[in-house]
Amino acid sequence: AFLQECEGKIIASAQNLKEGIQALAAKYPALERVFDSCTNFVYIKTAAAKEIYQKLLEKSIAVRCFGGYLRISTDSIENNRRLFTALNEILSEPTAQ
């Protein structure tokens, strides 16, 4: 029962992450492509990957950067919201466009 509860939370959080990132990608062209995933992370193509990665680190949010791509693992829904807020702030800066 405990494992099923944990699995449900991870699936819900991953779906929340994917939907939130897709909403940001629709708003900000700097997020060029959000790849479909059946895992607990979202993979994003963006020319601003290094800049976004660094600015997220400054906000104590760790993601993975692979050249022109970001890999963002799911977390709690609360921490996903914190990530969305940080990304919105970063992407709304003129240099991120």
Side-chain angles (χ1 to χ4, degrees), residues 11-49:
I11 290 169
S13 181
Q15 184 64 31
N16 171 264
L17 176 65
K18 181 180 176 183
E19 290 171 0
I21 295 295
Q22 287 174 329
L24 287 168
K27 184 176 179 181
Y28 298 108
L31 300 180
E32 300 166 37
R33 181 171 177 199
V34 179
F35 291 86
D36 286 334
S37 177
C38 58
T39 63
N40 67 334
F41 64 85
V42 173
Y43 203 63
I44 305 163
K45 179 181 180 185
T46 173

Side-chain angles (χ1 to χ4, degrees), residues 49-80:
K50 290 178 185 175
E51 177 186 355
I52 294 169
Y53 167 80
Q54 188 60 44
K55 289 185 178 191
L56 286 172
L57 276 181
E58 291 168 10
K59 296 177 180 287
S60 299
I61 299 173
V63 301
R64 301 288 306 258
C65 182
F66 301 100
Y69 299 86
L70 294 172
R71 182 184 138 179
I72 303 175
S73 295
T74 192
D75 202 333
S76 67
I77 300 240
E78 179 182 314
N79 283 341
N80 285 350

